[in-house]
Amino acid sequence: MKMTDVIPRRAVLCIERESAARAAVGLALGDYDVVFTSDAFETIRSMNVRAFDAFVIDFWLPDWSGPQLCRSIRELDPHCPVIFRSAAGADLCRQRALRAGASMYFVKPVSSEALSATLADLIGRADAASLRAKASMERAVQAELARWQPRLSASRGRDEASMQSLERTARSRAHEAFVSAGGTRAHFERWWPHVMGSARANNRAAAASSG
């Protein structure tokens, strides 16, 4: 099965204030769900609402610098592609962006082909890394289910408070394991419901067979 068979249209956040430039970027990235923001504050607010598969940001922002924003993105999503697309052409600017965690640094003007091809390559690498990390995510969930099994067995699965606590802790440990193994936030959010649901189903089946 291909990754494209199980993953919906990708979401890319792009910081761009000019309407003409937004239209050009939207056309270049027509295969993606592109969300435009105008500054760092709006970007962070958008990140708190949903996960993105990639970011296209600028070096100079109205309310912050691109490297500062890149560090904030990396704190939340260490392995998500972050592309700088900027008029800041000095090598010092490029080095600052790369030190902050940029995946690629383009100096404007950037051709549509270069931007699209680079984004596809970086997202493809993130796909592969996340697929490898998924096993770590699944192991973390199974370990947490095993840890909670005595309590769940005692209540026969009817203790809703325990089930909610289990899911919270399992999600936290699974996310930590997934990110540590190289996974991205967008993939975690897509896969989490299935991974947790599958683990619970397997756990119930095992309990039934042993009973």
Side-chain angles (χ1 to χ4, degrees):
M1 180 178 291
K2 297 179 181 178
M3 294 292 291
T4 51
D5 293 333
V6 295
I7 296 176
R9 186 175 170 88
R10 308 307 183 84
V12 177
L13 186 145
C14 178
I15 298 181
E16 180 55 67
R17 287 172 289 170
E18 298 180 0
S19 57
R22 286 188 175 193
V25 171
L27 186 61
L29 304 182
D31 293 335
Y32 303 92
D33 175 15
V34 183
V35 174
F36 289 102
T37 59
S38 299
D39 53 38
F41 176 78
E42 189 179 357
T43 297
I44 291 173
R45 186 171 59 185
S46 297
M47 290 167 56
N48 289 332
V49 173
R50 64 184 292 188
F52 292 93
D53 292 279
F55 295 84
V56 180
I57 68 176
D58 204 340
F59 190 91
W60 298 118
L61 304 173
D63 52 351
W64 223 2
S65 76
Q68 287 175 306
L69 176 59
C70 187
R71 289 190 183 93
S72 293
I73 293 171
R74 286 283 171 248
E75 288 176 3
L76 184 63
D77 203 352
H79 309 294
C80 180
V82 179
I83 297 174
F84 273 71
R85 173 179 162 273
S86 178
D91 188 61
L92 179 60
C93 294
R94 178 178 177 276
Q95 292 302 323
R96 283 184 58 191
L98 293 175
R99 285 197 299 270
S103 308
M104 177 63 70
Y105 193 97
F106 283 119
V107 177
K108 295 179 182 178
V110 186
S111 72
S112 298
E113 294 77 11
L115 181 61
S116 178
T118 298
L119 186 59
D121 177 63
L122 291 172
I123 288 179
R125 295 183 189 187
D127 285 351
S130 293
L131 193 57
R132 291 192 296 268
K134 191 177 180 184
S136 296
M137 175 183 178
E138 293 168 337
R139 285 194 296 269
V141 173
Q142 290 292 351
E144 196 62 16
L145 278 171
R147 191 172 74 86
W148 279 75
Q149 189 55 48
R151 185 184 303 186
L152 297 178
S153 296
S155 68
R156 296 185 179 180
R158 291 194 291 265
D159 185 347
E160 186 61 27
S162 292
M163 292 301 297
Q164 292 177 357
S165 295
L166 162 62
E167 184 148 351
R168 284 195 298 271
T169 57
R171 179 184 172 90
S172 177
R173 293 178 188 276
H175 183 265
E176 181 180 359
F178 186 67
V179 171
S180 295
T184 68
R185 182 185 173 209
H187 280 299
F188 180 84
E189 295 297 339
R190 290 188 186 100
W191 291 339
W192 168 250
H194 172 74
V195 168
M196 185 63 194
S198 178
R200 290 174 70 168
N202 291 340
N203 191 64
R204 286 194 296 269
S209 64
S210 63

